[in-house]
Amino acid sequence: MPLHAVAYVSDAIDGIETSDIDQILRAAMGFNKVAGVTGVLMFDGRCFLQYFEGPEDGVDSVFQRVFNARIHTNLRELARGFVEKRHFPCWTMASAAVEPDALARIVEAPWQGFQQRCSEQGDMPAGFGRLLEAWTGVSGELEPAAVTLGS
């Protein structure tokens, strides 16, 4: 079955609390499991960056739910399309708090679909490559500390 993915960034509403995010994550994990979708959510205190993957109908269902959520505004799609494999197969929705500079480096990098490198720019990491590096570190394997998040 072909896999699809979506990555987006959005601005959190004013006054969002950690308990709000926890509640949303719990609901997302259940919904995503039924939809066959896995992925990650990063939050820097002001912005969300989310990537999720799965069957096209599941990804579309999750995206519609995300699009209608009232916890964020100014949703900007970074990439959408086919992926060859699941990059986060074990997490219906893992989450991590990140520093604003780290999130900005991911968002501001070129997003050319789900390519990991930008060959026309000296083989620098693309936005998706930077997202993967944030979760896998230099070894390319999922960080042990990250495995316990949201799964």
Side-chain angles (χ1 to χ4, degrees):
M1 165 177 23
L3 294 170
H4 293 264
V6 170
Y8 75 87
V9 62
S10 63
D11 300 324
I13 59 169
D14 288 336
I16 194 162
E17 307 255 340
T18 303
S19 60
D20 298 326
I21 296 170
D22 290 343
Q23 181 180 1
I24 289 160
L25 283 168
R26 279 191 299 278
M29 291 167 78
F31 188 88
N32 293 359
K33 185 174 184 175
V34 171
V37 171
T38 56
V40 293
L41 175 70
M42 302 170 86
F43 182 60
D44 71 359
R46 297 173 309 176
C47 296
F48 294 102
L49 170 63
Q50 187 172 16
Y51 166 85
F52 49 91
E53 59 198 9
E56 186 174 19
D57 61 340
V59 167
D60 289 345
S61 295
V62 170
F63 186 77
Q64 194 60 32
R65 184 177 163 99
V66 165
F67 186 79
N68 291 323
R70 295 183 180 180
I71 62 151
H72 60 159
T73 61
N74 198 22
L75 187 145
R76 299 162 314 277
E77 199 172 286
L78 298 170
R80 174 189 288 265
F82 173 77
V83 290
E84 292 183 22
K85 66 174 188 168
R86 285 188 191 261
H87 295 277
F88 301 98
C90 298
W91 301 336
T92 53
M93 189 50 55
S95 65
V98 297
E99 293 296 319
D101 290 345
L103 191 69
R105 281 192 296 278
I106 297 168
V107 171
E108 293 168 5
W111 279 82
Q112 302 167 332
F114 296 107
Q115 296 178 11
Q116 294 184 36
R117 296 237 162 292
C118 295
S119 56
E120 68 274 358
Q121 295 187 4
D123 207 32
M124 76 177 238
F128 184 61
R130 289 178 187 226
L131 173 84
L132 292 176
E133 287 174 1
W135 286 91
T136 61
V138 288
S139 69
E141 296 294 325
L142 292 176
E143 292 285 322
V147 174
T148 63
L149 296 171
S151 56

